[in-house]
Coordinates of all heavy atoms in Angstrom, one line a residue:
T23 N -3.9 -35.8 15.8 CA -3.4 -37.2 16.1 C -4.6 -38.1 15.9 O -5.8 -37.7 16.1 CB -2.9 -37.3 17.5 OG1 -3.8 -36.9 18.4 CG2 -1.6 -36.5 17.7
P24 N -4.4 -39.3 15.5 CA -5.5 -40.2 15.3 C -6.4 -40.4 16.6 O -5.9 -40.5 17.7 CB -4.9 -41.6 15.0 CG -3.5 -41.2 14.6 CD -3.1 -40.0 15.3
T25 N -7.7 -40.3 16.4 CA -8.6 -40.5 17.5 C -8.9 -42.0 17.7 O -9.1 -42.7 16.8 CB -10.0 -39.8 17.2 OG1 -9.7 -38.5 17.0 CG2 -11.0 -40.0 18.3
P26 N -8.7 -42.4 19.0 CA -9.1 -43.8 19.2 C -10.5 -44.1 18.8 O -11.4 -43.3 19.1 CB -8.9 -44.0 20.7 CG -8.2 -42.8 21.2 CD -8.4 -41.8 20.2
Q27 N -10.8 -45.1 18.0 CA -12.1 -45.4 17.6 C -12.8 -46.3 18.6 O -12.4 -47.4 18.7 CB -12.1 -45.9 16.2 CG -11.5 -45.0 15.2 CD -11.6 -45.5 13.8 OE1 -12.0 -46.6 13.5 NE2 -11.2 -44.7 12.8
V28 N -13.8 -45.8 19.2 CA -14.5 -46.5 20.2 C -15.9 -47.0 19.6 O -16.7 -46.1 19.3 CB -14.8 -45.7 21.5 CG1 -15.5 -46.5 22.5 CG2 -13.4 -45.2 22.0
V30 N -19.7 -48.1 19.2 CA -20.9 -47.9 19.9 C -21.8 -49.0 19.6 O -22.0 -49.3 18.4 CB -21.5 -46.5 19.5 CG1 -22.9 -46.3 20.2 CG2 -20.6 -45.4 19.9
L38 N -21.2 -48.5 15.1 CA -21.1 -47.2 14.6 C -19.9 -46.4 15.2 O -19.8 -46.4 16.5 CB -22.4 -46.4 14.9 CG -22.6 -45.0 14.3 CD1 -22.4 -45.0 12.8 CD2 -23.9 -44.5 14.7
V39 N -19.0 -45.9 14.4 CA -17.8 -45.3 14.9 C -17.8 -43.8 14.3 O -18.0 -43.6 13.1 CB -16.5 -46.0 14.4 CG1 -15.3 -45.2 14.8 CG2 -16.5 -47.4 15.0
V40 N -17.7 -42.8 15.2 CA -17.6 -41.4 14.8 C -16.2 -40.9 15.0 O -15.7 -41.1 16.1 CB -18.7 -40.6 15.5 CG1 -18.6 -39.2 15.1 CG2 -20.1 -41.2 15.4
V41 N -15.7 -40.2 14.0 CA -14.4 -39.6 14.1 C -14.4 -38.2 13.6 O -15.4 -37.8 12.9 CB -13.2 -40.4 13.4 CG1 -13.0 -41.7 14.0 CG2 -13.6 -40.5 11.9
S42 N -13.4 -37.3 13.9 CA -13.4 -36.0 13.4 C -12.0 -35.7 12.9 O -11.0 -35.9 13.6 CB -13.7 -35.0 14.5 OG -13.6 -33.6 14.1
S43 N -12.0 -35.2 11.6 CA -10.7 -34.8 11.0 C -10.3 -33.4 11.5 O -9.1 -33.1 11.5 CB -10.8 -34.8 9.5 OG -11.8 -34.0 9.1
S44 N -11.2 -32.6 11.9 CA -10.9 -31.3 12.4 C -10.6 -31.2 13.9 O -9.9 -30.3 14.3 CB -12.0 -30.3 12.0 OG -13.2 -30.7 12.7
H45 N -11.3 -32.0 14.7 CA -11.2 -32.0 16.1 C -11.0 -33.5 16.6 O -11.9 -34.0 17.2 CB -12.4 -31.4 16.7 CG -12.7 -30.0 16.4 ND1 -13.0 -29.6 15.1 CD2 -12.5 -28.8 17.1 CE1 -13.1 -28.3 15.1 NE2 -12.8 -27.8 16.2
P46 N -9.8 -34.1 16.3 CA -9.7 -35.5 16.5 C -9.7 -36.0 18.0 O -10.2 -37.1 18.2 CB -8.3 -35.8 15.9 CG -7.6 -34.5 15.8 CD -8.7 -33.5 15.7
Q47 N -9.3 -35.2 18.9 CA -9.3 -35.6 20.3 C -10.4 -35.0 21.0 O -10.5 -33.8 21.2 CB -7.9 -35.3 21.0 CG -6.7 -35.9 20.3 CD -6.7 -37.4 20.5 OE1 -7.2 -38.0 21.5 NE2 -6.2 -38.1 19.5
Q48 N -11.3 -35.8 21.6 CA -12.5 -35.3 22.2 C -12.2 -34.4 23.5 O -13.0 -33.6 23.9 CB -13.5 -36.4 22.5 CG -14.0 -37.1 21.3 CD -15.1 -38.1 21.6 OE1 -16.1 -37.7 22.2 NE2 -14.8 -39.4 21.3
K49 N -11.1 -34.7 24.1 CA -10.8 -34.0 25.4 C -9.9 -32.8 25.2 O -9.5 -32.1 26.1 CB -10.2 -34.9 26.4 CG -11.3 -35.9 26.8 CD -10.8 -36.8 28.0 CE -12.0 -37.7 28.3 NZ -11.9 -38.2 29.6
S50 N -9.5 -32.5 23.9 CA -8.6 -31.4 23.6 C -9.4 -30.2 23.1 O -10.5 -30.3 22.6 CB -7.6 -31.8 22.5 OG -6.7 -32.8 23.0
Y52 N -9.6 -26.8 20.6 CA -9.2 -26.4 19.3 C -9.6 -25.0 19.1 O -10.7 -24.6 19.5 CB -9.7 -27.4 18.2 CG -9.2 -28.8 18.4 CD1 -9.8 -29.7 19.2 CD2 -8.0 -29.1 17.8 CE1 -9.3 -31.0 19.3 CE2 -7.5 -30.4 17.9 CZ -8.2 -31.3 18.7 OH -7.7 -32.6 18.9
V57 N -16.3 -27.6 12.3 CA -16.2 -29.0 12.8 C -16.6 -30.0 11.6 O -17.7 -29.8 11.0 CB -17.1 -29.2 14.0 CG1 -17.1 -30.7 14.4 CG2 -16.7 -28.3 15.1
T58 N -15.7 -31.0 11.4 CA -16.0 -32.0 10.4 C -16.0 -33.3 11.1 O -15.0 -33.7 11.7 CB -15.0 -32.0 9.2 OG1 -15.1 -30.7 8.6 CG2 -15.4 -33.1 8.2
V59 N -17.1 -34.1 11.0 CA -17.2 -35.4 11.6 C -17.6 -36.4 10.5 O -18.2 -36.1 9.5 CB -18.2 -35.5 12.8 CG1 -17.7 -34.7 14.0 CG2 -19.6 -35.0 12.3
S60 N -17.2 -37.7 10.7 CA -17.6 -38.7 9.7 C -17.8 -40.0 10.5 O -17.4 -40.2 11.6 CB -16.5 -38.9 8.7 OG -15.2 -39.2 9.3
W61 N -18.5 -40.9 9.8 CA -18.8 -42.2 10.4 C -19.0 -43.2 9.3 O -19.1 -42.9 8.1 CB -20.1 -42.1 11.3 CG -21.2 -41.6 10.5 CD1 -22.2 -42.3 9.8 CD2 -21.6 -40.2 10.3 NE1 -23.1 -41.4 9.2 CE2 -22.7 -40.1 9.4 CE3 -21.0 -39.0 10.7 CZ2 -23.3 -39.0 9.0 CZ3 -21.6 -37.8 10.3 CH2 -22.7 -37.8 9.5
G73 N -27.5 -34.7 14.8 CA -27.9 -33.6 15.7 C -26.6 -33.0 16.2 O -25.5 -33.6 16.1
F74 N -26.6 -31.7 16.6 CA -25.4 -31.1 17.2 C -25.9 -30.1 18.3 O -26.8 -29.3 18.0 CB -24.8 -30.3 16.1 CG -23.4 -29.8 16.4 CD1 -22.3 -30.6 16.5 CD2 -23.2 -28.4 16.7 CE1 -21.1 -30.2 16.9 CE2 -21.9 -28.0 17.1 CZ -20.9 -28.9 17.1
S75 N -25.4 -30.4 19.5 CA -26.0 -29.6 20.6 C -24.9 -29.5 21.7 O -23.9 -30.1 21.7 CB -27.2 -30.3 21.2 OG -26.9 -31.5 21.8
A76 N -25.2 -28.7 22.7 CA -24.4 -28.6 23.9 C -24.6 -29.7 24.9 O -23.8 -29.8 25.9 CB -24.6 -27.2 24.5
R77 N -25.5 -30.5 24.7 CA -25.8 -31.6 25.6 C -25.2 -32.9 25.1 O -25.4 -33.3 23.9 CB -27.3 -31.8 25.8 CG -28.0 -30.7 26.6 CD -29.4 -31.0 26.8 NE -29.5 -32.4 27.3 CZ -30.4 -32.7 28.1 NH1 -31.3 -31.9 28.6 NH2 -30.5 -34.0 28.5
S78 N -24.5 -33.7 26.0 CA -23.8 -34.9 25.6 C -24.8 -36.0 25.3 O -24.5 -37.0 24.6 CB -22.9 -35.3 26.7 OG -23.5 -35.6 27.9
D79 N -26.0 -35.9 25.8 CA -27.0 -37.0 25.7 C -28.2 -36.7 24.8 O -29.2 -37.4 24.9 CB -27.5 -37.4 27.1 CG -28.2 -36.3 27.8 OD1 -28.1 -35.1 27.4 OD2 -28.8 -36.6 28.9
S80 N -28.0 -35.7 24.0 CA -29.1 -35.3 23.1 C -29.4 -36.4 22.1 O -28.6 -37.2 21.7 CB -28.8 -34.0 22.4 OG -28.9 -32.9 23.3
T82 N -31.0 -37.3 18.1 CA -30.8 -36.8 16.7 C -32.2 -36.2 16.3 O -33.2 -36.6 16.7 CB -30.4 -37.9 15.8 OG1 -31.3 -39.0 15.9 CG2 -29.0 -38.4 16.1
R93 N -20.3 -34.9 7.9 CA -21.0 -33.6 8.0 C -20.1 -32.6 8.5 O -19.2 -32.8 9.4 CB -22.2 -33.8 9.1 CG -23.0 -32.6 9.3 CD -24.5 -32.8 9.2 NE -25.1 -31.5 9.4 CZ -25.6 -31.0 10.5 NH1 -25.7 -31.8 11.5 NH2 -26.1 -29.8 10.5
I95 N -20.0 -28.7 10.1 CA -20.8 -27.6 10.8 C -19.8 -26.4 10.9 O -18.7 -26.5 11.4 CB -21.3 -28.1 12.2 CG1 -22.1 -29.4 12.0 CG2 -22.1 -27.0 12.8 CD1 -21.6 -30.5 12.8
R102 N -18.2 -26.3 24.7 CA -18.2 -27.8 24.5 C -19.5 -28.2 23.8 O -20.6 -27.8 24.1 CB -18.2 -28.5 25.9 CG -16.9 -28.4 26.6 CD -17.0 -29.2 27.9 NE -15.7 -29.3 28.5 CZ -15.3 -28.5 29.5 NH1 -16.1 -27.6 30.0 NH2 -14.1 -28.6 30.0
W103 N -19.3 -29.0 22.7 CA -20.4 -29.3 21.8 C -20.3 -30.8 21.6 O -19.3 -31.5 21.7 CB -20.3 -28.6 20.5 CG -20.5 -27.1 20.7 CD1 -19.5 -26.2 20.9 CD2 -21.7 -26.4 20.7 NE1 -20.0 -24.9 21.0 CE2 -21.4 -25.0 21.0 CE3 -23.0 -26.7 20.6 CZ2 -22.3 -24.0 21.1 CZ3 -24.0 -25.7 20.8 CH2 -23.6 -24.4 21.0
F104 N -21.5 -31.4 21.1 CA -21.6 -32.8 20.9 C -22.3 -33.0 19.6 O -23.4 -32.5 19.3 CB -22.3 -33.5 22.0 CG -21.5 -33.4 23.3 CD1 -21.8 -32.3 24.1 CD2 -20.6 -34.4 23.6 CE1 -21.1 -32.2 25.3 CE2 -19.9 -34.2 24.8 CZ -20.1 -33.2 25.7
F105 N -21.7 -33.9 18.7 CA -22.3 -34.3 17.5 C -23.0 -35.7 17.8 O -22.4 -36.5 18.5 CB -21.3 -34.5 16.4 CG -21.9 -35.0 15.1 CD1 -22.6 -34.2 14.3 CD2 -21.8 -36.3 14.8 CE1 -23.2 -34.6 13.1 CE2 -22.4 -36.8 13.6 CZ -23.1 -36.0 12.8
H106 N -24.2 -35.9 17.3 CA -25.0 -37.1 17.5 C -25.4 -37.7 16.2 O -25.8 -37.0 15.2 CB -26.2 -36.8 18.3 CG -26.0 -35.8 19.4 ND1 -25.4 -36.2 20.6 CD2 -26.3 -34.5 19.5 CE1 -25.3 -35.1 21.4 NE2 -25.8 -34.1 20.8
V107 N -25.3 -39.0 16.0 CA -25.7 -39.7 14.8 C -26.3 -41.1 15.1 O -25.8 -41.7 16.0 CB -24.6 -39.7 13.8 CG1 -23.4 -40.5 14.3 CG2 -25.0 -40.3 12.4
V118 N -27.9 -43.9 19.5 CA -27.3 -42.7 19.1 C -25.8 -42.8 19.5 O -25.5 -43.1 20.7 CB -28.0 -41.5 19.7 CG1 -27.2 -40.2 19.3 CG2 -29.4 -41.4 19.2
A119 N -24.9 -42.5 18.6 CA -23.5 -42.3 18.9 C -23.2 -40.9 19.1 O -23.8 -40.0 18.4 CB -22.6 -42.9 17.8
H120 N -22.4 -40.5 20.1 CA -22.1 -39.1 20.4 C -20.6 -38.9 20.3 O -19.7 -39.7 20.6 CB -22.5 -38.8 21.9 CG -23.9 -39.2 22.2 ND1 -25.0 -38.5 21.9 CD2 -24.3 -40.4 22.8 CE1 -26.0 -39.1 22.3 NE2 -25.7 -40.3 22.8
F121 N -20.2 -37.7 19.8 CA -18.8 -37.3 19.6 C -18.6 -35.9 20.1 O -19.3 -35.0 19.6 CB -18.3 -37.4 18.2 CG -16.8 -37.2 18.0 CD1 -16.0 -38.3 18.1 CD2 -16.3 -36.0 17.8 CE1 -14.6 -38.2 18.0 CE2 -14.9 -35.8 17.7 CZ -14.1 -36.9 17.8
G122 N -17.7 -35.6 21.1 CA -17.6 -34.3 21.7 C -16.5 -33.5 21.0 O -15.5 -34.1 20.6
V123 N -16.7 -32.2 20.9 CA -15.7 -31.3 20.4 C -15.6 -30.1 21.4 O -16.7 -29.7 22.0 CB -16.0 -30.8 19.0 CG1 -15.9 -31.9 18.0 CG2 -17.3 -30.1 18.9
Q124 N -14.4 -29.5 21.6 CA -14.2 -28.4 22.4 C -13.6 -27.3 21.6 O -12.5 -27.5 21.0 CB -13.4 -28.8 23.6 CG -14.1 -29.9 24.5 CD -13.3 -30.2 25.7 OE1 -13.9 -30.3 26.8 NE2 -12.0 -30.4 25.6

Side-chain angles (χ1 to χ4, degrees):
T23 55
T25 300
Q27 297 184 357
V28 180
V30 176
L38 183 58
V39 176
V40 180
V41 296
S42 174
S43 58
S44 61
H45 298 70
Q47 299 296 325
Q48 294 186 63
K49 294 189 180 202
S50 294
Y52 296 90
V57 177
T58 300
V59 290
S60 59
W61 56 93
F74 192 73
S75 70
R77 291 185 45 145
S78 62
D79 60 349
S80 289
T82 54
R93 180 132 184 258
I95 303 124
R102 289 185 173 98
W103 296 92
F104 297 89
F105 177 78
H106 318 283
V107 61
V118 177
H120 310 277
F121 188 89
V123 296
Q124 300 183 130

